Amino acid sequence: MDAKTCLKKMYYVGVLAFATVDEHGAPQVRNISAVHYDEESFYFFTARGKELTKQLLSDGRIQALAYTKYNEMIRLSGKAIPVDEARQKPCIDTIFAEQPYLANVYPDHTREIGIIFEVKDAEIEYFNLGVNPIFRETYIIGEGKRADKGYLITEQCIGCGKCVKVCPQRCIEKGKPYIINPNHCLHCGNCFENCPVHAIKRL
């Protein structure tokens, strides 16, 4: 798996959930299928008059979420910016060519109300629940930032092994201290809650 494959999977899922935050700090989620990707970026079409556009022009932060029929979750987190004016029409034409149904939504010249946003600096989280143990990985496109998540067993570990017994994915190995394999960790916190000496910290 890699970033490009994740973007491709998101494209083929077709309908993605996009999340933003409005001016009151309230979460806003909507479905968007008018998307496109290339080697370096993820693009999507919306209309200039929509609240989504207002929120993106004000803040820019966005998450897009896909869930495949193979029980894979892919989440893109980054900042969306409008593509430059010279690229707007070619990008709109590309998305309309790839998504023919859009001609029913915005027929003829009404598509000119549209605006294309680009996400080129982002973190992509891939999470496969369809395998055992589960598999997760994080990829970066552009200058995206990787956020530390999950749990870490510290030097306070006494080697009792209780964390191993309560881990649903068997992703903790013996060591000094014990080690959590982040690629198979659910981030459920069961080890954290059951450690008798509080040697596990949340990242």
Side-chain angles (χ1 to χ4, degrees):
M1 193 59 59
D2 54 30
K4 182 181 176 182
T5 303
C6 286
L7 292 177
K8 184 176 183 179
K9 283 176 176 285
M10 294 182 79
Y11 174 80
Y12 280 118
V13 164
V15 180
L16 309 176
F18 278 70
T20 56
V21 176
D22 69 15
E23 66 271 25
H24 305 294
Q28 302 292 319
V29 181
R30 75 285 293 163
N31 289 329
I32 297 178
S33 57
V35 300
H36 174 73
Y37 76 99
D38 61 23
E39 293 286 339
E40 301 175 347
S41 298
F42 190 77
Y43 305 86
F44 60 95
F45 169 95
T46 187
R48 291 192 300 275
K50 289 184 176 288
E51 285 295 309
L52 170 62
T53 301
K54 176 183 174 183
Q55 292 156 13
L56 292 178
L57 293 176
S58 172
D59 184 286
R61 289 176 297 167
I62 195 164
Q63 284 191 333
L65 183 69
Y67 198 85
T68 77
K69 65 180 181 179
Y70 303 108
N71 303 117
E72 301 163 294
M73 184 276 289
I74 304 169
R75 179 167 53 202
L76 175 92
S77 303
K79 190 161 188 177
I81 58 174
V83 303
D84 58 73
E85 193 60 37
R87 295 171 60 213
Q88 281 288 336
K89 185 179 185 306
C91 287
I92 289 174
D93 290 345
T94 295
I95 287 180
F96 270 67
E98 293 178 352
Q99 308 284 350
Y101 83 93
L102 287 171
N104 297 323
V105 184
Y106 295 98
D108 302 321
H109 295 294
T110 64
R111 71 172 66 178
E112 294 173 5
I113 191 62
I115 181 171
I116 300 290
F117 284 91
E118 176 183 13
V119 182
K120 60 181 179 179
D121 301 315
E123 175 190 56
I124 301 174
E125 298 170 86
Y126 174 82
F127 189 26
N128 191 339
L129 290 170
V131 295
N132 188 277
I134 61 94
F135 176 79
R136 71 186 315 143
E137 184 60 279
T138 301
Y139 311 101
I140 299 298
I141 58 172
E143 298 181 5
K145 305 296 182 186
R146 186 187 303 265
D148 289 331
K149 296 179 182 178
Y151 295 86
L152 176 70
I153 301 176
T154 69
E155 295 295 331
Q156 294 175 305
C157 172
I158 59 173
C160 69
K162 188 160 187 182
C163 56
V164 175
K165 295 175 183 177
V166 299
C167 176
Q169 288 297 310
R170 307 172 309 283
C171 70
I172 302 176
E173 303 170 2
K174 285 186 178 181
K176 293 184 179 182
Y178 277 43
I179 300 168
I180 298 174
N181 184 331
N183 294 120
H184 303 305
C185 180
L186 279 170
H187 297 178
C188 68
N190 213 14
C191 59
F192 175 81
E193 291 190 2
N194 283 279
C195 179
V197 295
H198 308 291
I200 300 173
K201 70 175 184 179
R202 187 194 304 266
L203 297 175

